[in-house]
Amino acid sequence: MVERLLADFLLANSGWLDPDIVANAPLLENYSLAIGPSHALSGVVSSHPHLTDGRQIVTSQLFYLDPERAVARTLNRWYRLGLPCGFKRN
């Protein structure tokens, strides 16, 4: 798990993201930063392989966040980012 996380982090920092991984990642809407012993994201998830759509979650530890590319990498997986908390679609 750590090896994959490190490889993903290095690729993302180089400016490249695997489009297939991002396209198949769960979507996190209405997200915000959750601060505790480590940083994480809180939000409403959909298309997660183990969680019900529409469920409010707190992710595993956050390692990479790029709101401009609308992606985040946690200890366990990539997430596509929808709108952050407080923003509404037009």
Side-chain angles (χ1 to χ4, degrees), residues 4-53:
R4 183 174 171 170
L5 173 65
L6 179 59
D8 285 349
F9 183 76
L10 292 172
L11 283 173
N13 274 338
S14 75
W16 188 82
L17 290 173
D18 184 333
D20 290 332
I21 290 175
V22 174
N24 294 314
L27 176 64
L28 196 61
E29 292 273 8
N30 199 32
Y31 70 91
S32 61
L33 191 60
I35 299 175
S38 62
H39 291 79
L41 292 174
S42 174
V44 179
V45 73
S46 59
S47 301
H48 192 286
H50 307 294
L51 302 173
T52 306
D53 286 356

Side-chain angles (χ1 to χ4, degrees), residues 29-32 42 82-90:
E29 292 273 8
N30 199 32
Y31 70 91
S32 61
S42 174
L83 291 176
C85 185
F87 286 79
K88 298 190 189 260
R89 295 192 194 288
N90 292 332

